[in-house]
Amino acid sequence: MSEETWLAARLIPTSGINGAEEQERRATSALLAVMSAVREFGRVLTQSLGAPAGTVQTFIEVPFKIGNQQLFPDGLIRIKRGQRQWTALVEVKTGSNALRTEQLEAYLDIAREQGFDALITISNEIAPVPGQHPTAIDRRKLRKVALYHLPWTEILTQAVIQKEYRGVADPDQAWILGELIRYLEHPRSGALEFSDMGPAWVQVRDGVSAGTLRAGDSAAADVAGRFDALIRYACLRLGRRLGTDVTPALSRRDLTEPAARTQALVNQLSTAGTLTGSIRIPGAVGTLQVTADLRAGQIVCQVDVEAPRTGRPTTRVNWLIRQLKDAPETVRIEAFVIHARGGGATDLLRQVRSNPATLITDPARELRAFRIAQSTLAGTKRGSGRGAFIDSVLTAIDDFYEQIIQNLKPWMPAPPRLRTPEDVTPVQPVAASLVSTAISSQDNPEFDNSTARDSNSANGGQREE
């Protein structure tokens, strides 16, 4: 038998998974075990949840009794540091299984009775806004117990960033973390990617095309929320490749009032047929803005770049063109001038390369910024794969970052240079009687101090009248 058919032994095997219950149990046990074994990974996951930095202990299927009912939360995390102890219950879902409100509220009751600090939920659901929970919960049950949600995608992203970019001190622990990554990336683990725009997608898509979608339609709110979740998933996916924390660019109001953000997207979808989102990438020249135009069937990615503050208009345009030498010629560039309202001169990159003056409407007016945009076809299917809306958005974001944003650098003024003797403008000779006896950096460098002393001696130390 050929060795190519042999399966390598794994610390966390994917073989033998039968059904959703076994899938959830194995994923929970693997995750919690690695959190306690790899100190850096356990810390990065619990730090944002308010846990102290200390020894991590983990348990699975801990029994609790509430009334006459016996309940078994999937897991429990306990962290001790000195006299302080932080404890959280864990509820896990894999595959397409969704979190259930009644189950979470029962676990919140248990946590409150036991004096625990939090309930952590893990599933493939992604909340539209970071910090928001994807399941509706009675807010009164959160008075003494905090509720947190970690998508499997975020857990996988943090694992990859910690192992590949931040590092793990112990080589054996790094190998253990690598085994968890390998397990979560396997299709049978149940840690799925974002793959569905929801059952309301077709209705909303057709309503936008026909012009019949209304702001009050509940289907529009569902699609708007899933689009925000898609943008957040794209951030996690891109951050996993870059090794940094890529996040949605949201205002403070969006974070504190996610319902208002969703309603704004619904209004935009019903009036203009578009959905918009922004991505903040550390070190990038600007925010990556994404617009899904369902009427035109296009995905538009764009970034705004400040123009240089010195030089002629053509010099500033050429500064940008040099950085876009590897960009597709169909990229669209728009130039904005200072104190101007509305849009500026716009043309495709292939035209600007041959004639930079196409972006200059008035040579006397100073350019202040450029907008670089790229349009691609939008998929129509609700799921993932060829011809799907999700894949078209993810591909557009990845390509725009790779071909354009990562090659752009902000303009920096040249540093001041020291003057050389050749740069000093020669001065006219000055009468010896008018020259101070103390040499200054402002005096003629050819002037000899001894000449001034001889002059003063000849005059008896007195100035000529």
Side-chain angles (χ1 to χ4, degrees), residues 41-108:
F41 178 61
R43 179 57 183 155
V44 77
L45 284 187
T46 58
Q47 183 178 15
S48 60
L49 309 181
T55 304
V56 179
Q57 295 178 302
T58 55
F59 309 86
I60 64 169
E61 296 184 341
V62 181
F64 292 97
K65 194 170 185 179
I66 179 169
N68 297 324
Q69 188 179 10
Q70 190 89 355
L71 298 177
F72 295 85
D74 291 321
L76 183 144
I77 301 173
R78 184 168 62 198
I79 301 178
K80 292 183 178 180
R81 181 172 185 176
Q83 299 298 318
R84 185 184 176 189
Q85 178 173 292
W86 183 88
T87 308
L89 295 177
V90 180
E91 173 61 18
V92 176
K93 297 294 182 184
T94 55
S96 58
N97 296 327
L99 298 164
R100 294 184 289 112
T101 300
E102 61 274 11
Q103 187 179 35
L104 298 187
E105 291 183 348
Y107 291 163
L108 287 170

Side-chain angles (χ1 to χ4, degrees), residues 34 48 66 75 132 140 214 250 295 321 323 341 405:
V34 175
S48 60
I66 179 169
Q132 185 183 14
R140 293 173 296 180
R214 298 293 178 264
L250 299 172
R295 287 180 182 169
I321 295 174
Q323 299 190 70
R341 295 182 179 181
I405 291 186

Side-chain angles (χ1 to χ4, degrees), residues 95-312:
S96 58
N97 296 327
L99 298 164
R100 294 184 289 112
T101 300
E102 61 274 11
Q103 187 179 35
L104 298 187
E105 291 183 348
Y107 291 163
L108 287 170
D109 291 337
I110 293 174
R112 186 185 68 252
E113 290 182 0
Q114 298 294 326
F116 295 161
D117 299 274
L119 170 63
I120 303 170
T121 60
I122 301 172
S123 73
N124 287 306
E125 300 167 270
I126 300 178
V129 178
Q132 185 183 14
H133 201 277
T135 308
I137 298 294
D138 186 350
R139 306 299 298 178
R140 293 173 296 180
K141 294 186 178 293
L142 303 178
R143 292 174 181 172
K144 294 185 178 181
V145 182
L147 178 63
Y148 302 102
H149 180 70
L150 293 174
W152 279 114
T153 300
E154 183 174 352
I155 292 173
L156 177 58
T157 297
Q158 292 299 336
V160 172
I161 292 176
Q162 190 64 53
K163 181 180 183 296
E164 302 295 337
Y165 298 95
R166 296 173 183 162
V168 177
D170 187 279
D172 292 336
Q173 293 183 11
W175 178 80
I176 292 173
L177 184 57
E179 286 294 289
L180 176 65
I181 294 172
R182 188 187 302 273
Y183 175 79
L184 294 179
E185 288 179 340
H186 196 280
R188 298 186 64 183
S189 68
L192 304 178
E193 297 182 344
F194 189 93
S195 58
D196 193 357
M197 286 300 294
W201 168 254
V202 175
Q203 175 187 345
V204 171
R205 181 199 64 195
D206 294 344
V208 169
S209 300
T212 58
L213 186 68
R214 298 293 178 264
D217 293 347
S218 59
D222 180 69
V223 169
R226 287 182 181 268
F227 179 78
D228 265 345
L230 173 59
I231 294 297
R232 190 178 172 209
Y233 172 75
C235 292
L236 294 170
R237 185 171 176 268
L238 184 59
R240 189 159 69 237
R241 297 179 61 191
L242 299 177
T244 187
D245 293 325
V246 179
T247 58
L250 299 172
S251 66
R252 184 176 300 179
R253 184 172 183 267
D254 291 337
L255 292 172
T256 56
E257 301 179 28
R261 157 74 182 173
T262 301
Q263 187 58 48
L265 276 182
V266 169
N267 295 337
Q268 179 184 336
L269 184 60
S270 60
T271 56
T274 59
L275 293 164
T276 57
S278 299
I279 298 175
R280 183 177 292 111
I281 306 166
V285 70
T287 300
L288 196 165
Q289 303 170 48
V290 184
T291 300
D293 192 334
L294 301 188
R295 287 180 182 169
Q298 287 188 329
I299 306 297
V300 181
C301 294
Q302 65 183 37
V303 64
D304 292 341
V305 182
E306 289 189 10
R309 299 191 186 97
T310 60
R312 295 175 300 174

Side-chain angles (χ1 to χ4, degrees), residues 11-34:
L11 182 66
I12 313 170
T14 55
S15 59
I17 298 178
N18 297 314
E21 185 176 348
E22 169 63 23
Q23 193 178 61
E24 290 179 4
R25 184 183 296 111
R26 190 174 300 193
T28 303
S29 184
L31 172 62
L32 296 184
V34 175

